Amino acid sequence: MIAFAELLERLVFTPGRLAKVALLRRYFATQPDPDRGFGLAALTGELAFQAAKPAMIRALVEERTDPVLFAMSRDYVGDLAETVALIWPAAPSNAGPPRMTEVVQTLISTPKSELPFVLTGWLDASDASVRYALIKLITGELRVGASARLAKVALAEVAEGRIAADEIEEVWHGLTPPYTPLFAWIGGSGPRPDPAGAPVFRSPMLAHPLEAPDIAALIPSAFRAEWKWDGIRVQLVATPLGRRIFSRGADDISGAFPEIVEAMAFHGVLDGELLVLRDGQVAPFADLQQRLNRKAPGAKAQRDYPVAVRLYDLLFDEAEDLRPLPFDTRRERLEAWYARHSPPRMDLSELIPFTTVDELSVIRDGTRAASIEGLMLKRGDSAYVPGRPKGQWWKWKRDPLTIDAVVMYAQRGHGKRSSYYSDYTFGLWREDGELVPVGKAYSGFTDAELVTLDRWIRNHTTNRFGPVREVEHGLVLEIAFDAAQRSNRHKSGVALRFPRVARVRMDKPAIEADQLDTLMRLIEPGAVQA
Amino acid sequence: MPHPETWLKVMPDGLFCEPGGFYMDPLRPVARAIITHAHADHARPGHDAVLASPETLALMDVRMGEGRAGAVQQALRYGEAITIGEVRVWMQPAGHVLGSAQVAMEWRGSRAVVSGDYKRQPDPTCLPFVPIPCDVFVTEATFALPVFRHPPAEHEIAKLLDSVSLFPERTHVVGAYALGKAQRLIALLRQAGWDRPIYLHGAQIPLCTAYGRLGIPLGELLPATVAEKDKLKGAIVIAPPSAIADRWARRLAEPVVCNASGWMRVRQRARSKGVELPLVISDHCDWDELNQTLDEVAAPEVWVTHGREEALIHEAAKRGIRGRALRLVGYGDEQEDLPEAAKTEPTVA
């Protein structure tokens, strides 16, 4: 548990992706089986045991400490788990801290009534760092800012290039902790674990954004066009051993969409977009968010926000792997498959006929529905390849909307940007002359512009609140965004989708920035974001 | 025997010894001051007569410039007693930084000890704290909560060196106060076998040089400000806490931001400062060491200058020790937030 606690400690404070991978790689490369496997399961949230209540932890510490001092300490530190980890009085003994494996196996097998006794012994034998990891693990609050994907990238690095992260992804959901066969495979001492019909995730094929030079080189006859829907990309996997809905990042989100799982009465793997669909009309993304926030939706949520999957691609039909086939062939197979199964809560993504790029460009500019982000262009002869192969698939987003907004607050960034004020809260003018915040942007500018912005922020600060600086109303940013939606959560009554800095308008006086009304007129009709 | 309350008084300018006519670590310029150590919140410029250990006087001169650290300076070695007014005064090491001293005062058979800031962990750059039995012990309480238990400093240094080996292409920049903490870090790194040059922010250089002059060897030290970025790959740089995550640090190679402070024990503190590798190294006592010290000096009464006095007084009361909160303002907690630490370049050559 010492190595795991140390890993946890460093992951929590490490902002950089590469540094996190390096930390994970070392943990996996140096820890023995099955400790590292249980560590991996803890990090990826795959451990199944009943979490202890914070009240149990509090009761334990109250037996051991002066209540006055504990209360003062709790006030000072804030977090309960951290306070307990720090304040727990040392009880020197010969027993070392427990191993990861012992902890996990005990948690799975120990009846709840015995847990306080077991935990006390562990806390006595550990230092503050191990105590913290133990308490977080036991209460099910282990959040470390390292995604499951990052762990797989690190595992691939342990394999020193012999195995790609995507290949690990393809066997992952067929495995269980402590993943001994996986580590044997990665270490070169065992075969690739065979998922053997388990519903596993396949890394999806992704598209490159289409830029001006690419447009010129585009051969229209080689490409097929589809709408790019503003939902979430999902993979539906159904085998005789089970049904799963995976997000693009390989998270199993089946539990959140039981009606889709129910509709998956087939065996195969499909790629599609999860949308809220009412009478065939796609609702704005804000509606889908109502469902994404719930782990297990009630009947009302299912009724108010009815979901469906718009199918893009067929990867497996029964056990047949269609991925090496060209897109056109897969599309034929998809249409035939759909005609054969006609599953409820699913429809086909329509192909948009076109003959020239100009024609496509007009179609793209003509769409203003909030639910359409733009167009997808896929080569008719493209095999389905994980990742982002060059020149195969393009996403051609519609032009963003823009407003000129005034910077109101700035906050320091993270990692490489921690010395820069790189997150900007911007506002628009209300009729009464008050500036109202409407959003936050932290991308879109060049490194050189960031230096200028950072200097401006530092020289025009009027107030500080911890890491946040309030600034003079004197800097205008042209903000690009994909859509404006009505919102009850924001003081301004409006929320922006994907706001980013399009241009720094040092030339423009703040008073000439846009009015809030201008933005309100850009709101597309649709549901209200709660 | 007069109770120390009758002759040792809290005045607006600080703690005043009436029968001796002197202040200890006064906040504003006074006629006679005894200075426990050279940190900015305890040693302020502009006093007429200053009494302190020879090392403290030397470090005050470096920090403030010749002539500003007392018009008349008098050095007092540890263990040497003198009489000021009607009071017998001597000093013993406080273990806080080089030259740091506790001030012991005796008047008409009653003895009080003002400890200044002190610590009990071993420190290769200064003499260890010596407990002095007394009637009133005046203590700080910076880390007086049972959540503060400093691990051995060697353990934290090992953590730093482990990180350097894991990220050999990056610069490890460690935030450390320029007086005491920086030199202790360097000495600990040397003890752990780190014999490569250690790079310094400009604000760290004068005091490190002074430590060398005072007989504390620190190995090869180079200025970080003018070093090439490539040279700083895999290097350890020591800088004021205010500089480690700000503009100054941009010259470093993908810095791993580290901070050496007792506060690093609390995650939120580390996170709010953007620290990637917190190192719990303090020049103050932790909770156990404070209580151990109260037991060793065996004073029936303890006065607490600043910090988390409520907790310490509560704990002392359980052992029959009477506690009194002096609530002296103007003394900082590990110097992190004091103006001097915020300076990014030295004012003294």
Side-chain angles (χ1 to χ4, degrees):
Chain A
M1 195 79 193
I2 296 175
F4 183 75
E6 279 172 4
L7 171 69
L8 205 64
E9 195 115 308
R10 289 224 60 181
L11 283 177
V12 165
F13 291 112
T14 299
R17 189 175 185 275
L18 286 176
K20 281 182 181 167
V21 169
L23 291 162
L24 288 163
R25 181 193 59 212
R26 185 170 67 165
Y27 176 78
F28 295 136
T30 56
Q31 291 304 300
D33 287 320
D35 283 352
R36 58 180 174 178
F38 286 119
L40 173 59
L43 292 169
T44 52
E46 303 280 342
L47 284 179
F49 54 81
Q50 214 184 353
K53 296 259 186 321
M56 187 268 269
I57 310 282
R58 193 177 303 125
L60 280 186
V61 76
E62 278 169 0
E63 280 174 28
R64 293 288 191 108
T65 53
D66 179 321
V68 176
L69 294 174
F70 178 73
M72 286 176 179
S73 298
R74 173 88 203 269
D75 279 354
Y76 195 83
V77 175
D79 183 61
L80 174 72
E82 187 175 356
T83 312
V84 175
L86 294 176
I87 204 172
W88 192 267
S93 76
N94 291 329
R99 300 199 66 87
M100 192 70 198
T101 306
E102 181 192 342
V103 171
V104 172
Q105 287 175 341
T106 310
L107 288 176
I108 292 170
S109 63
T110 303
K112 241 181 141 182
S113 57
E114 285 172 33
L115 191 55
F117 174 76
V118 172
L119 179 58
T120 301
W122 286 343
L123 294 177
D124 281 347
S126 303
D127 67 4
S129 149
V130 173
R131 286 196 294 260
Y132 181 77
L134 273 170
I135 295 169
K136 285 292 181 187
L137 184 66
I138 288 169
T139 51
E141 291 173 2
L142 202 71
R143 281 182 295 270
V144 291
S147 66
R149 177 70 189 174
L150 228 47
K152 287 159 204 162
V153 171
L155 288 169
E157 285 199 6
V158 175
E160 289 170 341
R162 285 176 293 108
I163 301 165
D166 286 332
E167 293 177 73
I168 295 170
E169 208 74 89
E170 294 210 2
V171 300
W172 175 255
H173 288 278
L175 301 170
T176 50
Y179 312 108
T180 319
L182 174 67
F183 281 105
W185 179 42
I186 285 165
S189 63
R192 175 178 182 273
D194 182 5
V200 296
F201 176 74
R202 272 83 179 185
S203 288
M205 182 157 173
L206 304 170
H208 282 275
L210 190 69
E211 312 286 356
D214 309 316
I215 298 173
L218 212 60
I219 303 162
S221 60
F223 281 88
R224 315 292 167 252
E226 292 173 82
W227 295 117
K228 181 170 175 20
W229 297 100
D230 188 15
I232 63 161
R233 183 94 176 268
V234 289
Q235 188 173 101
L236 308 182
V237 185
T239 76
L241 296 181
R243 300 176 184 179
R244 298 280 184 281
I245 306 172
F246 293 111
S247 74
R248 204 182 102 168
D251 290 327
D252 183 348
I253 53 170
S254 314
F257 304 99
E259 64 268 59
I260 303 289
V261 173
E262 195 191 320
M264 289 162 61
F266 52 78
H267 296 149
V269 178
L270 291 123
D271 184 346
E273 194 87 9
L274 187 72
L275 302 161
V276 167
L277 211 58
R278 291 194 189 89
D279 306 324
Q281 291 293 309
V282 178
F285 188 78
D287 282 29
L288 184 56
Q289 256 172 342
Q290 295 300 316
R291 290 293 303 267
L292 292 172
N293 296 338
R294 294 163 215 256
K295 278 208 168 132
K300 184 173 188 316
Q302 292 192 35
R303 202 169 50 241
D304 292 351
Y305 303 100
V307 288
V309 177
R310 190 146 285 176
L311 301 171
Y312 291 138
D313 218 323
L314 180 63
L315 311 191
F316 281 75
D317 187 359
E318 302 289 334
E320 184 190 355
D321 188 352
L322 307 187
R323 292 177 296 172
L325 304 177
F327 174 82
D328 286 342
T329 314
R330 292 201 312 278
R331 176 73 197 191
E332 280 170 28
R333 294 282 301 262
L334 174 67
E335 288 176 9
W337 179 93
Y338 186 76
R340 198 162 70 240
H341 290 274
S342 51
R345 297 183 184 281
M346 291 177 211
D347 61 15
L348 287 180
S349 158
E350 101 188 72
L351 287 182
I352 305 164
F354 70 100
T355 46
T356 65
V357 174
D358 286 344
E359 200 184 327
L360 257 190
S361 179
V362 171
I363 294 172
R364 166 180 163 272
D365 293 343
T367 58
R368 267 295 160 222
S371 52
I372 291 178
E373 287 188 300
L375 293 173
M376 288 295 301
L377 301 180
K378 298 175 179 173
R379 277 194 76 97
D381 59 4
S382 59
Y384 194 97
V385 183
R388 237 181 219 105
K390 199 85 193 149
Q392 302 297 299
W393 287 10
W394 299 102
K395 53 183 170 189
W396 197 11
K397 286 200 176 187
R398 63 183 191 180
D399 288 333
L401 302 162
T402 62
I403 41 160
D404 287 339
V406 183
V407 177
M408 301 177 70
Y409 305 94
Q411 192 170 352
R412 282 173 187 255
H414 296 283
K416 277 189 177 166
R417 283 194 181 168
S418 59
S419 73
Y420 293 95
Y421 286 88
S422 61
D423 299 7
Y424 311 106
T425 301
F426 51 84
L428 297 175
W429 297 109
R430 218 163 50 185
E431 265 179 23
D432 60 7
E434 198 194 328
L435 203 54
V436 190
V438 294
K440 208 172 163 184
Y442 38 82
S443 64
F445 35 77
T446 64
D447 286 351
E449 282 173 325
L450 177 57
V451 171
T452 313
L453 287 167
D454 179 70
R455 190 178 313 126
W456 193 93
I457 298 294
R458 290 170 189 269
N459 292 337
H460 296 84
T461 301
T462 55
N463 219 339
R464 294 183 189 209
F465 313 94
V468 178
R469 286 181 183 225
E470 184 173 7
V471 294
E472 287 169 25
H473 299 160
L475 176 61
V476 177
L477 298 178
E478 183 181 317
I479 301 289
F481 55 98
D482 286 2
Q485 292 163 354
R486 205 171 286 285
S487 163
N488 298 333
R489 262 199 305 229
H490 298 75
K491 184 184 173 189
S492 61
V494 58
L496 303 182
R497 189 113 170 96
F498 295 133
R500 63 262 183 195
V501 176
R503 274 197 297 167
V504 181
R505 296 294 305 270
M506 287 291 183
D507 56 310
K508 191 160 190 170
I511 199 70
E512 289 175 23
D514 280 318
Q515 299 282 323
L516 182 56
D517 265 359
T518 313
L519 178 60
M520 298 309 265
R521 282 195 291 275
L522 294 175
I523 292 179
E524 286 154 66
V528 173
Q529 187 180 344
Chain B
M1 186 179 86
H3 191 280
E5 232 166 36
T6 61
W7 55 276
L8 196 57
K9 296 190 168 164
V10 178
M11 309 290 272
D13 289 342
L15 209 51
F16 182 62
C17 175
E18 220 164 51
F22 59 84
Y23 281 90
M24 273 148 295
D25 297 345
L27 301 169
R28 275 180 290 272
V30 299
R32 280 170 160 278
I34 298 183
I35 304 297
T36 61
H37 64 285
H39 275 150
D41 51 337
H42 292 258
R44 294 171 194 262
H47 306 307
D48 293 339
V50 168
L51 177 82
S53 73
E55 295 85 357
T56 295
L57 289 174
L59 295 172
M60 284 172 73
D61 282 344
V62 173
R63 270 204 37 244
M64 300 173 191
E66 298 273 347
R68 297 192 66 226
V72 181
Q73 294 187 341
Q74 183 181 356
L76 185 63
R77 288 175 199 289
Y78 297 129
E80 276 179 16
I82 54 166
T83 303
I84 306 175
E86 303 169 16
V87 183
R88 187 167 170 264
V89 175
W90 72 101
M91 302 205 288
Q92 290 291 1
H96 179 58
V97 298
L98 181 60
S100 67
Q102 311 170 67
V103 181
M105 289 157 284
E106 224 168 51
W107 184 61
R108 296 186 183 168
S110 145
R111 184 192 291 176
V113 172
V114 173
S115 55
D117 291 337
Y118 63 103
K119 74 167 176 291
R120 305 301 301 270
Q121 267 200 7
D123 179 343
T125 67
C126 67
L127 293 172
F129 180 93
V130 175
I132 310 167
C134 52
D135 301 306
V136 163
F137 183 67
V138 183
T139 182
E140 46 117 344
T142 305
F143 292 113
L145 277 177
V147 288
F148 290 110
R149 291 200 169 89
H150 309 324
E154 292 73 20
H155 177 267
E156 302 301 285
I157 293 293
K159 225 161 72 176
L160 171 61
L161 293 178
D162 174 61
S163 184
V164 172
S165 72
L166 183 61
F167 299 111
E169 295 296 301
R170 302 176 67 187
T171 306
H172 282 66
V173 56
V174 188
Y177 187 61
L179 170 54
K181 187 74 65 68
Q183 295 78 21
R184 183 181 179 207
L185 261 174
I186 295 167
L188 286 167
L189 281 165
R190 298 307 186 203
Q191 275 185 354
W194 184 261
D195 50 11
R196 291 157 58 180
I198 291 173
Y199 291 85
L200 300 179
H201 182 282
Q204 310 281 19
I205 294 172
L207 286 160
C208 286
T209 310
Y211 263 59
R213 273 202 311 273
L214 292 166
I216 310 289
L218 298 174
E220 190 182 356
L221 305 175
L222 297 173
T225 312
V226 295
E228 289 166 40
K229 210 171 202 167
D230 263 3
K231 287 244 170 73
L232 294 177
K233 282 185 177 174
I236 296 175
V237 173
I238 298 181
S242 57
I244 52 175
D246 209 346
R247 281 178 284 190
W248 184 83
R250 289 179 198 166
R251 73 195 69 221
L252 308 175
E254 286 186 67
V256 177
V257 175
C258 319
N259 196 25
S261 162
W263 297 120
M264 293 297 107
R265 179 98 167 156
V266 177
R267 275 154 204 272
Q268 200 45 48
R269 286 267 189 159
R271 206 172 292 137
S272 71
K273 286 185 183 296
V275 172
E276 187 166 341
L277 182 62
L279 302 171
V280 187
I281 299 180
S282 175
D283 43 23
H284 294 263
C285 285
D286 68 8
W287 172 253
D288 292 331
E289 291 159 355
L290 284 169
N291 282 293
Q292 172 203 342
T293 306
L294 297 196
D295 289 341
E296 287 178 8
V297 301
E301 189 167 325
V302 169
W303 296 356
V304 186
T305 53
H306 65 284
R308 270 121 292 279
E309 58 264 32
E310 260 187 273
L312 189 59
I313 289 170
H314 171 85
E315 185 68 12
K318 292 199 271 185
R319 311 203 288 278
I321 303 169
R322 201 184 142 217
R324 177 184 166 205
L326 301 185
R327 298 207 170 77
L328 294 182
V329 289
Y331 298 119
D333 295 335
E334 287 233 322
Q335 284 72 44
E336 273 184 21
D337 304 320
L338 292 177
E340 185 176 274
K343 285 180 194 165
T344 50
E345 293 300 326
T347 50
V348 184

